[in-house]
Amino acid sequence: MSLLELHDVSMIYGSVKALQGIDLTVEKGEWLALMGPSGSGKTTLMNIIGCMDKASTGSIVLDGVDFTDVTAGNLTMLRRDKIGLVFQQFHLIPYLTAVENLMVAQYYHSMPDEQEALLALERVGLKERARHLPSQLSGGEQQRVCIARALINYPMLILADEPTGNLDETNAKLVLEFFQQLHREGHTIIMVTHDPKVAELAERCIVLEHGRIANRKDRRIVCREEEVS
Ligand SMILES: Nc1ncnc2c1ncn2[C@@H]1O[C@H](COP(=O)(O)OP(=O)(O)OP(=O)(O)O)[C@@H](O)[C@H]1O
Ligand SMILES: [Mg+2]
């Protein structure tokens, strides 16, 4: 059984067809890159897979659970239990330290465990920064806190929407190395990126255009096309 299956998923906002007829299967342990021009529906698709939004039509099955008819409350529970989210804009709570940000995620899932949260920060190389506020951390460090937060509840799927979009080259490299490590460990990753070099790290790359999957060719061909467009 695949980890994630989307059948004929569409998302309509008024007169805007943000997604149309998306069919997509993601296997456990796969790293999928999602590319496409601005406004093509990448974030919309991530929000639907990440249980932050409900599709207008179509079916989504994650780990055997069909999202189609679940209520908004149950979607929140699914997100907490199964999904780890990493955003371009970090979305850390500004008045809480790095370790407290992780403990909030633990609290919403089950119960806070400071030792475990500290270990998670150590894993992303931020042991010494655990008591710092987000404003006292560099962009790359904040993104690594976000990755630690995304992993803290052992999600079966990691969704990352342009995780290196706000980072300089050095920090982007560090963050990507961490994603490569997660992939080697068997995590399933879906990552939105505008950067063909980032997409090259993934096993597979799909391109959205006007809310549809435009291409399913070999990732190298797709990435090259993206580069010239
Ligand atoms: N809440 C909303 N209400 C109305 N329209 C929306 C909403 N969210 C997204 N859209 C529209 O849906 C389309 C897809 O948006 P989306 O954010 O998914 O694009 P994207 O591929 O992530 O773009 P970018 O690369 O700029 O982040 C756009 O035309 C956008 O204006
Ligand atoms: Mg987007």
Side-chain angles (χ1 to χ4, degrees):
M1 189 181 65
S2 303
L3 181 67
L4 176 70
E5 286 181 26
L6 274 71
H7 294 294
D8 201 18
V9 167
S10 298
M11 186 66 163
I12 318 285
Y13 296 112
S15 61
V16 177
K17 290 179 181 161
L19 293 174
Q20 301 181 67
I22 301 288
D23 290 315
L24 180 64
T25 301
V26 180
E27 304 299 332
K28 197 169 185 304
E30 194 175 8
W31 181 349
L32 175 74
L34 188 53
M35 300 189 84
S38 184
S40 58
K42 303 180 298 296
T43 296
T44 306
L45 184 58
M46 294 291 261
N47 287 347
I48 288 173
I49 295 171
C51 301
M52 286 176 287
D53 247 332
K54 258 191 105 151
S56 306
T57 57
S59 82
I60 300 163
V61 180
L62 175 64
D63 191 36
V65 179
D66 192 334
F67 291 10
T68 316
D69 294 319
V70 299
T71 60
N74 285 341
L75 266 189
T76 306
M77 270 171 49
L78 278 169
R79 179 170 70 238
R80 257 183 356 218
D81 290 346
K82 297 185 188 291
I83 313 259
L85 296 163
V86 181
F87 308 94
Q88 181 177 358
Q89 311 288 356
F90 316 139
H91 295 307
L92 292 167
I93 301 172
Y95 50 85
L96 297 180
T97 63
V99 69
E100 287 166 350
N101 265 280
L102 266 60
M103 289 166 71
V104 167
Q106 291 173 318
Y107 171 79
Y108 280 112
H109 180 263
S110 44
M111 66 166 80
D113 178 338
E114 189 175 20
Q115 280 317 308
E116 194 180 38
L118 288 169
L119 274 175
L121 286 173
E122 189 173 349
R123 217 187 138 204
V124 294
L126 291 176
K127 190 180 167 196
E128 313 303 327
R129 297 283 188 276
R131 309 289 172 192
H132 287 223
L133 295 169
S135 59
Q136 299 166 328
L137 299 171
S138 74
E141 288 168 343
Q142 289 183 63
Q143 192 56 300
R144 280 185 281 151
V145 175
C146 292
I147 294 170
R149 180 182 59 183
L151 294 171
I152 194 79
N153 299 318
Y154 305 99
M156 56 185 45
L157 177 61
I158 301 166
L159 299 179
D161 195 346
E162 298 195 52
T164 57
N166 275 348
L167 304 182
D168 64 27
E169 210 172 311
T170 311
N171 278 305
K173 195 163 171 276
L174 267 175
V175 163
L176 288 170
E177 277 169 8
F178 200 71
F179 274 102
Q180 285 176 292
Q181 189 183 326
L182 293 175
H183 179 54
R184 280 195 296 274
E185 288 169 7
H187 283 91
T188 313
I189 302 166
I190 305 181
M191 182 184 285
V192 170
T193 180
H194 282 285
D195 184 345
K197 288 194 200 75
V198 174
E200 284 251 346
L201 298 173
E203 288 166 302
R204 188 157 65 104
C205 173
I206 62 167
V207 179
L208 284 183
E209 255 171 34
H210 304 297
R212 295 181 188 274
I213 294 179
N215 216 322
R216 283 181 195 251
K217 292 184 209 161
D218 171 76
R219 70 184 163 102
R220 286 174 205 287
I221 300 168
V222 172
C223 294
R224 230 176 282 137
E225 282 179 356
E226 177 79 11
E227 214 161 9
V228 292
S229 68

